[in-house]
Amino acid sequence: MIQKCEGIVIRRTDYGENNKIITIYTREFGKIGVMARGANKPNSRLSSVTQLFYYGYFLIQRSSGLGSLSQGESLDSFRHIREDIMSTAYASYIVELLDKGAEDRKPNPYLFELLYQTLHYINEGFDPEVLKAIFEMKMLAVFGVPPVLDRCVNCGQTEGEFDFSIREGGFLCHRCKRIDPYRIQVSASTIKLLRLFYYFDLNRLGNIALKEETKKELNKVIDAYYDNYVGISLKSKKFLQQMHKLDGLW
């Protein structure tokens, strides 16, 4: 049976000389893999449909194994992402991170909307480094390792000065800092942003402008938390870091 779904291409792989296997994150079915036969042939009607970040409607012949792609209808080309190398790098990391965290064939409309909104904002020219941090914070719940950000992880107090403890998995107030000598000391604004990025609705995003020092603090906390609790190595992340090192940002 052929079914229609709304989705975004998050991974693609050549299969044989003319075919592609693409992974689509869909609103209706979650993450699915489909065969696009002949997509690599010249003038194939599936050539554009199978591009990374393609967002549209897909007609798919679903099965218990790998489905088959019949056709697609574009909803947004994300042109800026495709034409700007930094935007492409950030978007590549976003879709790879989602691919690692999302389960196959498990619908999650919230996660689909998060993916779409993040790519949409990158395409619209919002700061991709801020969007990356927001997406990473929200993906922690998907990976099943949510940090404690609404209180001190040790005593439960919500008032005071806080640092971030990787070992304890969240905020430590000034009363409890002594329990983790390796806690990460960050500014009060970074503490607020970590909490905000985790909880707030991305649809309400304004054009947030952050100091480079604040971005570095956010990256330090988020990277350390991912290394300790998620433990994945992504090619797109390494590429992004290499590009920033060339610019002297990381």
Side-chain angles (χ1 to χ4, degrees):
M1 181 178 73
I2 294 180
Q3 294 177 297
K4 185 178 183 179
C5 61
E6 178 185 354
I8 297 170
V9 177
I10 62 172
R11 178 159 40 101
R12 59 180 189 155
T13 308
D14 289 336
Y15 184 79
E17 186 176 347
N18 297 316
N19 308 320
K20 280 188 182 298
I21 295 175
I22 61 171
T23 301
I24 309 171
Y25 197 78
T26 71
R27 188 185 296 276
E28 296 85 356
F29 312 125
K31 187 172 71 172
I32 58 174
V34 296
M35 175 74 75
R37 300 188 184 281
N40 284 337
K41 289 183 178 180
N43 302 320
S44 169
R45 60 188 174 85
L46 296 181
S47 178
S48 63
V49 179
T50 56
Q51 297 299 309
L52 196 63
F53 318 126
Y54 180 94
Y55 168 50
Y57 291 117
F58 297 85
L59 286 181
I60 294 170
Q61 178 78 48
R62 296 190 72 205
S63 67
S64 57
L66 197 64
S68 179
L69 177 65
S70 299
Q71 66 183 68
E73 175 189 344
S74 178
L75 287 172
D76 193 330
S77 65
F78 293 137
R79 182 176 177 179
H80 175 70
I81 289 177
R82 298 177 189 280
E83 294 178 350
D84 179 74
I85 188 170
M86 286 302 296
S87 296
T88 300
Y90 276 101
S92 297
Y93 172 63
I94 294 300
V95 297
E96 189 177 9
L97 186 62
L98 178 129
D99 190 17
K100 290 292 185 183
E103 296 182 42
D104 291 341
R105 304 180 182 223
K106 186 174 180 179
N108 186 334
Y110 163 78
L111 192 53
F112 177 85
E113 194 63 26
L114 175 64
L115 173 63
Y116 167 71
Q117 288 292 347
T118 303
L119 294 179
H120 171 73
Y121 283 128
I122 292 175
N123 192 64
E124 290 296 307
F126 284 69
D127 189 335
E129 196 169 358
V130 173
L131 290 164
K132 165 187 160 293
I134 294 171
F135 193 83
E136 287 173 321
M137 288 302 295
K138 292 186 177 300
M139 281 295 293
L140 290 173
V142 177
F143 282 107
V145 288
V148 177
L149 302 172
D150 59 345
R151 63 190 183 280
C152 174
V153 69
N154 187 56
C155 71
Q157 290 290 328
T158 58
E159 301 294 331
E161 298 176 0
F162 294 91
D163 287 338
F164 195 95
S165 170
I166 300 299
R167 188 184 71 187
E168 301 298 323
F171 292 160
L172 277 178
C173 73
H174 62 277
R175 308 167 193 86
C176 303
K177 290 179 181 180
R178 67 186 183 281
I179 73 169
D180 183 7
Y182 302 105
R183 66 191 183 277
I184 301 175
Q185 299 180 43
V186 293
S187 65
S189 60
T190 297
I191 290 293
K192 290 179 181 177
L193 286 169
L194 287 166
R195 184 185 295 118
L196 175 68
F197 288 176
Y198 185 80
Y199 287 111
F200 93 121
D201 184 350
L202 190 56
N203 287 314
R204 300 170 59 190
L205 179 70
N207 204 344
I208 302 175
L210 301 183
K211 297 177 181 178
E212 288 304 319
E213 187 59 38
T214 302
K215 290 180 181 180
K216 288 179 181 178
E217 287 187 348
L218 286 168
N219 281 325
K220 182 177 181 180
V221 172
I222 294 171
D223 287 351
Y225 197 88
Y226 265 83
D227 288 345
N228 196 73
Y229 289 98
V230 181
I232 56 175
S233 179
L234 305 182
K235 291 181 180 179
S236 57
K237 179 66 173 291
K238 292 177 180 177
F239 177 70
L240 202 51
Q241 290 172 333
Q242 288 171 354
M243 292 187 68
H244 276 285
K245 284 178 181 177
L246 292 174
D247 288 336
L249 296 179
W250 282 5

